[in-house]
Amino acid sequence: MQKLAPLSAGLVLALAAGLCAQSTPKPAAHSTDPIVIAAGPEHIRASQFQALIDSAPPQNRAAMSANKRAVADELGKMLALVDAARQRGLDQQPAFKAQMMLARDNALAKAMVDKLQTEAKPTAAQEQAYYTAHASEFQQTKLRHILITDTETPGAGSKLTPAQALAKAQKIDAQLKAGADFATLAKQNSDDPGSKVKGGELGEISPGQTVPEFETAVKKLAVGAISDPIHTRFGYHIVQVESRSTQPFAQAQPEIEQNLSTQNVENAIDSIAAKAHVIISNSYFGPAKPAPAKPGTPHQ
């Protein structure tokens, strides 16, 4: 039988960490949930072993199901270590008890979050309403650019000073506005290797995908217009907007669903915490810092 790789063995032990926290009496022979792995008084029942398989990440579950004996071998070693640790009293150390408490509480909190996620999915009507109310967030702008880097552009290796780069960008800009072919000048001059070979084409850009100063300048450009040189940390850009369109709802829907679901879960957690009246000692931890503002839209 194929042996699990070391990484998979580590995964097995991590998933099984809570299975043997308590010992239970050995079941009768006719039990429908027999002990299937044991080391001293420590043991794992069939239902616990199956729970371990079921709780594994999807990408590991099939391999663990196909290699149950190898998984059991790793668990047997774990049980032997657990038995030895108990004999030495390691389970009574304060640090261990704190770790167990945190592991238990973290697992229970995760189970609650998983439950909230199943309840947080927005309706189709809510998704459509958001799309309609925030249409500008799903605007797509097809554009092309020519980039001129300078000595202050990280990793560019340019020998042009910022002033020299600006002068070069202004010269190219003037040529374009006089009717020169954009694709030809991009291939000859652009320092953006990804778009240079395509005549400067960047494809369709959505809000939030570019640095703020670039996005702000592009928003002001009419379709077909050539921008003045735009300065960002990447250098100087000369941009032409080729078209504008709105991303269809079918394409935007997965992002809308994900972000509305996340927002719903966060709101539910905040509500639970508020009702629980969480108290944190300022004298021990210091005063609370202002919470950062939450994004208002999926694209921010």
Side-chain angles (χ1 to χ4, degrees):
M1 181 172 290
Q2 182 182 358
K3 185 176 181 180
L4 290 184
L7 179 60
S8 297
L11 172 67
V12 170
L13 296 181
L15 290 171
L19 289 184
C20 304
Q22 296 181 352
S23 296
T24 54
K26 187 174 181 179
H30 63 275
S31 172
T32 58
D33 190 15
I35 290 175
V36 293
I37 308 170
E42 309 299 331
H43 58 260
I44 295 177
R45 296 181 180 276
S47 62
Q48 292 175 310
F49 184 85
Q50 189 57 50
L52 168 69
I53 300 295
D54 293 341
S55 64
Q59 66 270 24
N60 301 107
R61 198 173 300 149
M64 293 177 69
S65 295
N67 295 276
K68 289 184 177 180
R69 180 63 193 223
V71 174
D73 289 341
E74 295 298 329
L75 291 175
K77 295 176 184 178
M78 183 194 74
L79 292 183
L81 290 172
V82 170
D83 185 34
R86 288 191 191 279
Q87 292 182 37
R88 298 190 183 191
L90 300 184
D91 58 328
Q92 300 303 313
Q93 294 183 351
F96 172 77
K97 290 184 176 181
Q99 290 174 351
M100 288 297 293
M101 179 189 71
L102 183 60
R104 179 202 63 202
D105 290 353
N106 186 63
L108 193 55
K110 181 181 181 301
M112 186 62 196
V113 169
D114 291 343
K115 178 66 174 175
L116 293 175
Q117 287 176 334
T118 64
E119 302 169 351
K121 184 177 179 179
T123 65
Q126 290 171 329
E127 294 170 357
Q128 183 64 59
Y130 185 94
Y131 176 78
T132 301
H134 301 82
S136 63
E137 297 173 13
F138 303 99
Q139 185 180 79
Q140 295 178 312
T141 304
K142 184 180 180 182
L143 51 84
R144 53 186 178 177
H145 83 148
I146 296 172
L147 174 66
I148 307 300
T149 60
D150 56 49
T151 53
E152 295 183 358
T153 304
S158 175
K159 296 181 179 180
L160 299 179
T161 66
Q164 290 171 331
L166 175 58
K168 182 177 180 180
Q170 289 173 330
K171 180 179 178 180
I172 295 171
D173 188 61
Q175 292 175 314
L176 291 171
K177 290 175 178 175
D181 182 66
F182 197 104
T184 298
L185 290 184
K187 291 177 180 179
Q188 293 174 349
N189 298 279
S190 184
D191 292 326
D192 178 4
S195 65
K196 177 177 182 175
V197 295
K198 298 182 290 186
E201 292 289 347
L202 288 175
E204 292 184 328
I205 303 297
S206 299
Q209 288 186 317
T210 60
V211 292
E213 56 269 39
F214 185 93
E215 182 171 315
T216 298
V218 167
K219 283 182 179 179
K220 298 176 182 178
L221 280 180
V223 174
I226 304 289
S227 74
D228 292 333
I230 303 166
H231 184 253
T232 73
R233 65 175 181 270
F234 301 107
Y236 290 92
H237 310 256
I238 304 164
V239 181
Q240 182 179 40
V241 173
E242 298 182 276
S243 65
R244 284 194 172 93
S245 61
T246 300
Q247 186 180 18
F249 174 74
Q251 293 181 13
Q253 188 272 336
E255 181 182 2
I256 294 174
E257 178 182 337
Q258 176 62 42
N259 284 278
L260 287 180
S261 294
T262 298
Q263 188 176 69
N264 289 342
V265 170
E266 290 178 350
N267 290 341
I269 292 173
D270 289 344
S271 176
I272 290 172
K275 291 178 181 178
H277 302 292
V278 176
I279 299 174
I280 298 175
S281 172
N282 289 339
S283 62
Y284 186 85
F285 295 104
K289 296 180 180 179
K294 291 185 178 181
T297 70
H299 290 285
Q300 289 183 336

